[in-house]
Amino acid sequence: MSTSPQHHGFISKHTNQGDPMLRGLSTVVFQADDLDTAREWYTDVLGVPPYFAKPDEGPAAYIEFRLGDLAHELGVVARAYAPHPAAPHPSGAVVYWHVDDVQKTYDTLLTKGATEHEGPTWRSEDWLTASATDPFGNILGLIHSPHYLNMLP
C-alpha cells in the first residue's frame, strides 16, 4: 500500500525529488510534573479529551490528543518518565499550531493560566505568530499561515 501524499488525496504544490527524509509532523510531546492536572488543563483548552492514555490501568504516564484538520498528535508525558530533566525555564523548539485567530487564541490561553512567551507579532502582511508557556513549562506556538491554508484539500 502506497504512503505517498498522492495516495491520501493530498498533492503538494512543492515537491522534492526522491523520498523526503522528514515526511511530516507526527507527534509533539510536552512534559508535565502533574499529568492529571495537565490532562484537565489541555482538555479544557482544546475542548476534547485525550483519545489515548497509557498505561490502561492506574495513573497515566502519557496522554495524547488528536488535533485539527490533519489530526496531528499532541502528547503529554509525566516528567518522571521524560528522557531528560526539565530545563530551569521554558526552552527548546517552538512548534507552531495553525489557528484562525492568533490574538483570540493567545488571549484564551493567557486567561486559562498560560503565560506570555512572545506576544502576537506580525512576520509579514499575512503571517502572525505568538507563543505562550503552558502551566507546565512547555512553549505552545500559534500561527496564522497562508501556506497551511493553501495545503488543505
Side-chain angles (χ1 to χ4, degrees):
M1 176 179 230
S2 170
T3 58
S4 71
Q6 291 82 359
H7 172 75
H8 295 288
F10 300 102
I11 299 174
S12 174
K13 294 178 182 178
H14 305 284
T15 58
N16 298 324
Q17 297 296 321
D19 291 330
M21 179 172 54
L22 301 176
R23 297 278 316 256
L25 182 65
S26 175
T27 308
V28 174
V29 178
F30 286 168
Q31 300 176 12
D33 289 321
D34 182 342
L35 197 58
D36 290 334
T37 301
R39 177 196 310 251
E40 289 174 21
W41 193 82
Y42 272 100
T43 297
D44 179 48
V45 165
L46 301 172
V48 296
Y51 82 98
F52 178 84
K54 282 293 179 188
D56 296 330
E57 305 269 331
Y62 179 77
I63 58 174
E64 198 167 84
F65 300 85
R66 286 202 188 245
L67 308 173
D69 301 301
L70 302 175
H72 287 107
E73 296 172 348
L74 173 61
V76 185
V77 65
R79 199 171 317 272
Y81 297 99
H84 304 286
H89 51 77
S91 63
V94 178
V95 176
Y96 289 92
W97 295 86
H98 181 85
V99 297
D100 292 326
D101 187 329
V102 171
Q103 185 69 57
K104 181 179 178 184
T105 305
Y106 178 75
D107 291 344
T108 298
L109 289 172
L110 297 183
T111 299
K112 293 183 179 285
T115 57
E116 179 177 346
H117 182 261
E118 181 180 36
T121 304
W122 285 102
R123 303 299 178 182
S124 71
E125 184 179 327
D126 297 331
W127 296 77
L128 180 62
T129 66
S131 56
T133 304
D134 73 11
F136 318 100
N138 303 291
I139 303 168
L140 185 60
L142 309 172
I143 189 168
H144 185 84
S145 163
H147 286 182
Y148 179 85
L149 295 172
N150 288 336
M151 72 100 202
L152 294 176

